Every structure is written in structure tokens, then in C-alpha cells.
């Protein structure tokens, strides 16, 4: 695994999630100070066990979020916030789509505002890799997102577009990680369920590497497939799709 250059203070929003938990482990192993958020006080102890400094905060409370990020004084803010059903249960996903889109729209805007108020130099955010507009395959990061999406998926696509615009247009170094379909602990599946997938440990590695590697912009982060080009993440971040944390 490539190492970061020096210890940083990292504000990790969504530190107890499927990617946030392994990312916290990786950040601490790399020597970084991690201030991690959770919405529920009951999860604060779990963050302490991972070596993070827990902060219980609601991302929709902008004033409280700005105060929390400013107090942490991070160099890097990482956005791994989602609002999804346990184990990514497909039967419940439709109920959570509007809630997750709200996190992407409003939560991201609040987190970016807090990062800027705190003077963070880089903002790294979780996005998804299956919102490209129809076009030639494999999709590279320069391909257009599906702004004209219709039907049930349109809410998710518009949330992603709002998230990416907020991060990439901010007056800081914005990095967007377009993850494939997640599998691994916390996702309800131990193996890929479809093409363009990524293990949560490998997804976490991409966020760790993005602290000190890669130019601002978007990166596709998924295992090799005909649908998606991941050359930029491999070349600029030094990312590995086969990375796994020890059990």
C-alpha cells in the first residue's frame, strides 16, 4: 500500500459506515489524527475503539457542523455520509433513495461550507460510478453524467450531480471518488453482485490515497469491467482494486 507523506488531521464525516469504518482503520494505521462523525451517540464508543475522536453531529444542522469541523481544524475533510438501509437491503432501498439524495444535496453543501470555514485544503467525497449518460464504453471521468435521467433513478442522479458540483466547484482541492457497487462487510454481500463492483476495503484505500495523491477532479473506483475505465485511479492515485484489510 502506498503511504501518505506525513500525518494529517482528517475530519471524516460518516466514519461508522461501510466505507467509513475501514477507512478509519487505514487512516489511523497511517498515523493520521481522525475526527469522525456519527449521528448516534451509541456509535461513539465504536469510533473510540478504532482510534478516532468521535463527534456526534447532524449534517443537516449547518451551524453545529461548522462548529465541529472548525474545532477539529482539519487539513482534509472526507465525506463518506450516506443514508442507506442496513446491509444495503434491496427490498428497502426505494424508501431510502430520497433520504440519501438529501444527504448528497443538503448535507454535502453544509459539509463543504464547514470545510471552507475551517480552512481545509482538500475535500474528498464519495460519489457513484453508474450515473453516466448513455454513450461509448468504457466511461472515463470526462464522460457526461446523466443530467437528463428520468424515472425512479432520477432522484439519485440529481443528488449525485449536486454533490459533485458542490465539491468540485468549491475554492479548495475537490476530489470525487465515483465508487462502483459495494460489497464486503456491511453491504450484505461478500462477493460482487454485478459488474463494476468494488470491495469496501479497496474503496477506503482510494480515499486514503487521495489525501496526498492525484489532482483535483473525479476518479472512477471499481474493479475492471467493460463499462468503466479506472485508469486514472490506478495511475494518479496508485490505487489497487484487490486491496483488503487483514481480518
Amino acid at each position: 500500500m502506498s503511504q501518505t507523506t506525513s500525518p494529517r488531521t482528517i475530519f471524516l464525516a460518516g466514519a461508522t459506515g461501510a466505507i467509513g469504518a475501514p477507512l478509519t482503520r487505514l487512516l489511523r494505521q497511517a498515523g493520521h489524527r481522525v475526527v469522525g462523525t456519527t449521528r448516534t451517540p451509541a456509535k461513539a464508543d465504536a469510533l473510540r475503539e478504532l482510534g478516532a475522536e468521535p463527534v456526534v453531529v447532524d449534517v443537516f444542522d449547518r451551524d453545529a457542523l461548522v462548529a465541529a469541523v472548525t474545532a477539529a481544524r482539519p487539513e482534509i475533510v472526507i465525506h463518506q455520509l450516506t443514508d442507506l438501509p442496513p446491509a444495503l437491503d434491496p427490498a428497502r432501498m426505494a424508501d431510502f433513495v430520497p433520504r440519501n439524495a438529501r444527504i448528497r444535496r443538503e448535507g454535502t453543501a453544509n459539509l463543504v461550507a464547514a470545510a471552507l470555514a475551517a480552512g481545509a485544503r482538500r475535500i474528498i467525497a464519495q460519489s457513484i460510478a453508474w450515473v453516466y449518460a448513455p454513450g461509448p464504453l468504457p466511461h472515463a471521468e470526462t464522460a457526461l453524467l446523466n443530467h437528463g435521467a428520468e424515472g425512479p433513478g432520477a432522484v439519485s442522479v440529481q443528488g449525485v450531480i449536486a454533490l459533485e458540483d458542490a465539491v468540485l466547484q468549491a475554492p479548495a482541492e475537490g476530489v470525487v471518488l465515483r465508487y462502483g457497487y459495494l460489497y464486503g462487510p456491511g453491504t450484505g454481500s461478500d462477493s460482487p453482485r454485478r459488474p463494476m463492483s468494488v470491495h469496501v476495503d479497496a474503496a477506503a484505500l482510494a480515499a486514503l490515497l487521495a489525501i496526498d495523491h492525484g489532482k483535483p477532479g473525479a476518479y472512477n473506483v471499481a474493479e475492471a469491467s467493460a463499462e468503466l475505465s479506472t485508469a486514472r485511479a490506478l495511475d494518479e492515485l496508485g490505487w489497487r482494486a484487490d486491496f483488503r484489510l487483514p481480518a
Side-chain angles (χ1 to χ4, degrees), residues 48-170:
R48 291 189 187 94
E49 291 176 4
L50 290 172
E53 301 171 29
V55 173
V56 179
V57 67
D58 184 344
V59 71
F60 298 121
D61 186 339
R62 181 179 285 221
D63 290 343
L65 187 63
V66 169
V69 180
T70 302
R73 301 179 64 185
E75 296 175 67
I76 312 292
V77 171
I78 303 180
H79 177 357
Q80 295 287 357
L81 290 164
T82 58
D83 193 347
L84 296 169
L88 304 183
D89 181 358
R92 300 180 61 193
M93 192 65 73
D95 293 335
F96 282 78
V97 165
R99 294 160 55 171
N100 204 43
R102 185 186 175 210
I103 287 239
R104 288 171 172 154
R105 291 190 316 271
E106 299 176 31
T108 301
N110 291 344
L111 189 58
V112 168
L116 298 176
R121 69 168 179 86
R122 179 165 279 212
I123 304 168
I124 302 165
Q126 173 189 148
S127 185
I128 55 177
W130 57 93
V131 292
Y132 286 105
L137 300 177
H139 290 302
E141 292 85 351
T142 51
L144 295 176
L145 300 185
N146 193 9
H147 287 258
E150 298 178 350
V155 172
S156 289
V157 175
Q158 294 306 317
V160 167
I161 290 170
L163 177 151
E164 294 201 3
D165 285 348
V167 173
L168 297 178
Q169 295 175 13

